[in-house]
Amino acid sequence: MNLDRPLVLATQNEGKIAEFRGLLAGFDVEIRSLKDYGPIPQVEEDGDTFEDNAVKKSRFTARVLGLPALADDSGLMVRALGGVPGVLSARYAAEDATDEANNLKLLKAMEGVEDRSAKFVCVLAISVPPGAALLYEGTCEGVIAHELTGTQGFGYDPLFYYPPLEKTFAQMSSEEKNRISHRGRAMAELKQEFDKVLIWLNQRLGVHP
Ligand code: IMP
């Protein structure tokens, strides 16, 4: 089947672009990203949920470019903090917070807290210009450590301890992390369904293979 049209990744992040390209390499779809277009207006990530933000990003990009678009949104939810930092994960300590500042704020918030269970969540959304969207979700359950451990990865990785492998995300190789992470799981789900996604896109875009 030939989609005959591109799928635009709604991100400028080179790491994410490479991951998605690798994931969808075997499929008959032309992967592009925001890097292939000049500057386009930025969408504000002000939704209450990961779904809201992922749909907002993919829908906005699809409408602006007139092409189907794929976006993701992710973050950490700590049970004892009522799901915080959640959609504010990147901006937990401040608007332009560093990973270090976010981690220190989280450690402080967890001082003396017994229930340290937490989960990472990743939502992928694919939108077409008329507005319809498909959603895929992946989660990974773990525990907030008492100190930063490990040097790999980014964000909250040094504080996110994954009991089955007895290490934090920051102590894992990227291959190891991708196998079990929220993003890896959401991507695996998308990949498994991608044939159906192509049919869905063709129907919405009026392409008849
Ligand atoms: P975004 O979905 O790329 O906007 O990520 C939101 C924020 O969630 C990041 O800035 C990190 O703070 C956090 N986050 C999401 N995924 C991970 C991960 O795999 N490891 C560590 N932190 C993550």
Side-chain angles (χ1 to χ4, degrees):
M1 184 195 344
N2 193 339
L3 179 66
D4 215 22
R5 293 172 203 234
L7 176 65
V8 182
L9 306 178
T11 181
Q12 302 267 9
N13 181 316
E14 291 284 10
K16 283 188 187 174
I17 294 168
E19 262 183 48
F20 281 118
R21 274 193 197 285
L23 179 86
L24 301 176
F27 293 96
D28 199 4
V29 63
E30 189 198 336
I31 301 294
R32 294 188 191 169
S33 78
L34 292 185
K35 294 220 174 256
D36 295 314
Y37 299 89
I40 68 166
Q42 291 291 304
V43 64
E44 221 183 309
E45 292 184 36
D46 57 0
D48 291 332
T49 63
F50 300 112
E51 287 83 355
D52 285 349
N53 282 333
V55 169
K56 206 173 167 194
K57 279 187 266 186
S58 64
R59 191 166 277 169
F60 180 80
T61 303
R63 288 216 173 122
V64 168
L65 297 177
L67 295 167
L70 168 63
D72 78 326
D73 197 48
S74 60
L76 178 68
M77 302 180 80
V78 181
R79 186 183 297 161
L81 304 179
V84 166
V87 290
L88 296 177
S89 290
R91 300 166 269 158
Y92 183 40
E95 194 52 43
D96 290 316
T98 59
D99 288 343
E100 191 189 3
N102 285 334
N103 280 317
L104 291 181
K105 179 166 177 178
L106 181 57
L107 270 182
K108 187 126 195 69
M110 294 298 283
E111 265 174 22
V113 176
E114 215 161 284
D115 175 6
R116 304 188 73 87
S117 56
K119 65 177 176 183
F120 271 121
V121 180
C122 173
V123 174
L124 303 178
I126 300 182
S127 289
V128 286
L134 286 179
L135 289 171
Y136 296 89
E137 181 175 318
T139 60
C140 182
E141 309 258 349
V143 176
I144 302 302
H146 289 273
E147 59 188 14
L148 297 151
T149 309
T151 54
Q152 310 293 310
F154 70 101
Y156 299 92
D157 281 350
L159 281 184
F160 191 79
Y161 182 80
Y162 183 67
L165 294 184
E166 298 182 351
K167 44 186 160 180
T168 68
F169 269 11
Q171 292 175 293
M172 297 180 188
S173 65
S174 54
E175 292 76 22
E176 212 170 8
K177 180 181 164 187
N178 285 342
R179 268 199 295 277
I180 49 95
S181 78
H182 49 310
R183 194 169 298 102
R185 286 174 175 160
M187 284 191 172
E189 207 191 311
L190 169 67
K191 184 171 180 174
Q192 210 181 349
E193 295 244 316
F194 205 70
D195 278 335
K196 287 187 215 136
V197 173
L198 287 177
I199 293 169
W200 182 86
L201 284 174
N202 283 339
Q203 284 167 345
R204 300 290 159 320
L205 298 168
V207 176
H208 300 290

